[in-house]
Amino acid sequence: MSHTARWALALAWIALLVLAGAWLSRNLEVAGDLRRFMPEPRTPEQKLLVEGVGEGPGSRLLLVALEGDAPEVLAAQSAALAEALSADPHFALVANGGTASLEQVPDSLRPYRYLLSPTLDSHALDEAYLRSELQARLQDLGSPAGHLVEPLLPADPTLEVLALAEQWQGAASPRRLHGVWFDHAGERALLLAQTGAAGFDPDGQARALDALRAAFDQARGDSAARLVVTGPGAFSVEVGGHTRAEAARLGSLDSVAFVLLLLIAYRSWRAPLLGALPLVSGGLAGLVAVVAGFEAVHGITLAFGFTLVGVAQDYPIHLFSNQRAAASPWDSVRALWPALAVGVVATCIAYLAFFAAGVEGLSQLAVFTITGLAVAALSTRYVLPALLDDGHGRGAFADPAASPRMQALWIRLQSLPRLGVTGAIVLAIIAVGVVWWRPGPFWQNDLSRLTPVPEASLRADEELRRELRAPDVRHLAVVPGTDGEAVLQASEALLPVLEGLRRDGVLAGYDLAARYLPSAAT
């Protein structure tokens, strides 16, 4: 192939890659829902578990602390932050222990306030009771909270809405100082924020955290206060950011090492460029296949897919290394192809098993990897040799085996002292000694050790949960029934039992629907 034809082929190949990248920029949609990498729930218990882990309040709860300034300043910042987040669409619920208000009761329940409230279970709504309540409201109107009470009086003179809000707050609540929640030392203002995004949605959690930090910066002003945030969403964003940074750093180092290796081995600036073409082709082809076959591409598919397709960087290296100065690249690749094809097919067969798992994320990963490896191998076999042909049927690269520098390096490596039997025994003794005298337990069965969340973040989360009395939901009991009424009646029957267990110290706490909504029979 002539010099002009090789350049034309190279430019056509690059143009095709650019077109694929442009198409991906318009059609690529990246998803972060981890449920795409979980088996599809089939039984009611599995569906309940997945729903609870992904959509339940436990996975969407952020624990917030403000510290580093005077309590009065932190209390004002807590109030301002709660007000800002309550109007933010990224949050479904924000609580800081402020005065219970009408907004805490859903609109659909307000007409039923007298039925839901326990007040009239012990009082008759007669003239005497109503008169005493109105006298109390006169005093309330003269208090600093009068502006909160006034809008409620025409429809709710006995303030049943506020009674409900206080009842639903629960018995165990954090310490209140300056009108908001504080820790027991009175040094940190505390808040709870429930995100609108599911716990399985790291992108949604990241947007909520960004909104939280922006609102805090606005509320803080020139204060020296600091923001502490923990919870599943905060952990997922922290770990995700750390993982992306590490992946970018290691990927950059790997790319630099790959380029330097090719430059040193083949002494040509063309080697890294030509060697990258099959790899880039495989990555883009795999991504195009996933985008065309699935609604959205998961971020994990992108990360692991490109890592797995990175195996294809060996394909051009095999061709370069088997190329000799007097041989045609086409002859070299024909001799190499049987072994290379067997390896590619074997790898693709292994990833075919992902389709049988019934998990969308694994199916995406299989499509990405199989397509990418196949395209990289085929481009190495049928296109890359044309770019190596110097026009006289010979390879364009020098024979790396003939390089005096490479030969000298290999001779030095062979001259290094060998380990021998004695050295192996010494290393084995050292290894046994390290295992025997190592500090701490040899076997670790604490699953929390598997988490990439830093130890300091876990300790902060444990401390804030204890201060906020936030639920650490480890057990979930399900009350079945033929309809909602039957479930509520069964739940009401459990209330005295659960309360007795809580009084006896068997249960730290509990929650169920019957606490908020009585059955129609009741």
Side-chain angles (χ1 to χ4, degrees):
M1 180 180 288
S2 66
H3 181 75
T4 303
R6 291 204 313 272
W7 271 105
L9 177 60
L11 292 176
W13 194 349
I14 294 174
L16 185 61
L17 296 179
V18 171
L19 290 176
W23 184 85
L24 286 172
S25 67
R26 294 192 304 269
N27 296 277
L28 176 62
E29 180 181 350
V30 181
D33 193 340
L34 293 177
R35 282 171 292 188
R36 295 178 185 268
F37 273 85
M38 297 182 65
E40 182 181 357
R42 302 183 184 277
T43 66
E45 291 80 6
Q46 293 172 353
K47 294 178 180 179
L48 180 65
L49 177 62
V50 172
E51 181 182 354
V53 173
E55 301 289 347
S59 65
R60 297 188 286 137
L61 201 62
L62 295 178
L63 289 72
V64 184
L66 310 182
E67 61 183 17
D69 211 323
E72 298 85 355
V73 176
L74 297 177
Q77 293 174 356
S78 173
L81 182 60
E83 182 179 0
L85 296 182
S86 297
D88 193 302
H90 293 99
F91 295 92
L93 176 67
V94 180
N96 69 339
T99 305
S101 64
L102 183 66
E103 287 72 19
Q104 292 181 260
V105 180
D107 292 336
S108 58
L109 292 182
R110 292 176 194 173
Y112 305 97
R113 57 195 177 278
Y114 280 95
L115 290 174
L116 295 173
S117 171
T119 301
L120 299 184
D121 295 344
S122 56
H123 293 90
L125 190 59
D126 54 16
E127 181 182 353
Y129 178 70
L130 188 57
R131 178 183 295 111
S132 65
E133 287 295 307
L134 290 175
Q135 290 292 334
R137 297 296 84 76
L138 284 175
Q139 298 178 6
D140 293 337
L141 289 174
S143 69
H147 67 285
L148 299 176
V149 174
E150 185 177 0
L152 306 178
L153 291 182
D156 191 8
T158 59
L159 296 186
E160 301 307 317
V161 167
L162 295 184
L164 286 174
E166 293 173 356
Q167 174 188 340
W168 290 341
Q169 285 183 351
S173 59
R175 175 188 180 185
R176 284 170 55 88
L177 186 65
H178 305 293
V180 298
W181 287 334
F182 267 79
D183 62 355
H184 70 282
E187 298 176 350
R188 297 193 294 178
L190 308 177
L191 299 92
L192 284 175
Q194 181 175 308
T195 63
F200 278 130
D201 183 5
D203 295 333
Q205 294 290 334
R207 289 190 292 270
L209 280 172
D210 290 341
L212 172 60
R213 294 189 176 103
F216 171 71
D217 290 339
Q218 185 70 24
R220 177 180 56 181
D222 297 332
S223 168
R226 299 181 300 274
L227 178 70
V228 179
V229 186
T230 67
F235 290 158
S236 67
V237 174
E238 179 181 8
V239 171
H242 179 73
T243 302
R244 284 191 294 271
E246 286 294 309
R249 183 178 64 86
L250 294 177
S252 301
L253 292 176
D254 180 71
S255 300
V256 171
F258 175 69
V259 171
L260 290 177
L261 174 63
L262 294 183
L263 288 174
I264 293 173
Y266 302 106
R267 305 184 309 283
S268 172
W269 60 269
R270 294 174 58 196
L273 298 179
L274 295 179
L277 285 176
L279 179 62
V280 175
S281 301
L284 289 178
L287 190 53
V288 167
V290 176
V291 172
F294 296 90
E295 181 181 357
V297 182
H298 199 283
I300 295 178
T301 301
L302 290 177
F304 280 93
F306 278 109
T307 300
L308 296 173
V309 172
V311 175
Q313 71 184 4
D314 294 340
Y315 302 164
I317 292 179
H318 288 319
L319 176 57
F320 297 161
S321 298
N322 284 274
Q323 179 63 40
R324 296 297 177 262
S328 167
W330 296 104
D331 295 334
S332 300
V333 79
R334 275 192 294 268
L336 175 65
W337 180 245
L340 183 60
V342 169
V344 174
V345 171
T347 304
C348 292
I349 290 176
Y351 284 105
L352 281 175
F354 283 2
F355 284 107
V359 179
E360 181 184 342
L362 295 181
S363 298
Q364 291 186 8
L365 197 57
V367 170
F368 196 139
T369 305
I370 293 173
T371 304
L373 293 180
V375 169
L378 292 173
S379 61
T380 302
R381 168 64 179 87
Y382 294 104
V383 185
L384 187 59
L387 300 181
L388 297 178
D389 194 338
D390 65 355
H392 302 284
R394 297 176 303 190
F397 295 153
D399 184 358
S403 169
R405 296 179 181 176
M406 297 297 291
Q407 289 181 348
L409 177 61
W410 180 244
I411 292 174
R412 291 177 183 175
L413 291 176
Q414 287 183 317
S415 65
L416 292 176
R418 301 187 181 277
L419 184 62
V421 177
T422 304
I425 294 175
V426 171
L427 285 181
I429 293 175
I430 293 175
V432 171
V434 170
V435 171
W436 185 264
W437 283 291
R438 69 182 298 276
F442 180 74
W443 296 108
Q444 180 61 259
N445 58 6
D446 186 359
L447 290 179
S448 66
R449 296 294 181 180
L450 293 176
T451 177
V453 179
E455 186 70 24
S457 298
L458 292 175
R459 288 197 301 268
D461 182 77
E462 180 181 357
E463 182 179 352
L464 285 184
R465 285 187 183 277
R466 184 173 59 252
E467 294 285 357
L468 279 162
R469 314 303 201 265
D472 184 9
V473 183
R474 288 173 286 179
H475 302 281
L476 179 66
V478 180
V479 180
T482 56
D483 55 22
E485 175 65 14
V487 171
L488 284 174
Q489 291 186 24
S491 299
E492 286 176 336
L494 287 176
L495 278 174
V497 177
L498 295 173
E499 184 60 27
L501 293 174
R502 189 191 65 78
R503 286 196 304 267
D504 296 340
V506 178
L507 295 179
Y510 65 90
D511 208 356
L512 71 171
R515 277 195 60 220
Y516 309 95
L517 181 64
S519 65
T522 298

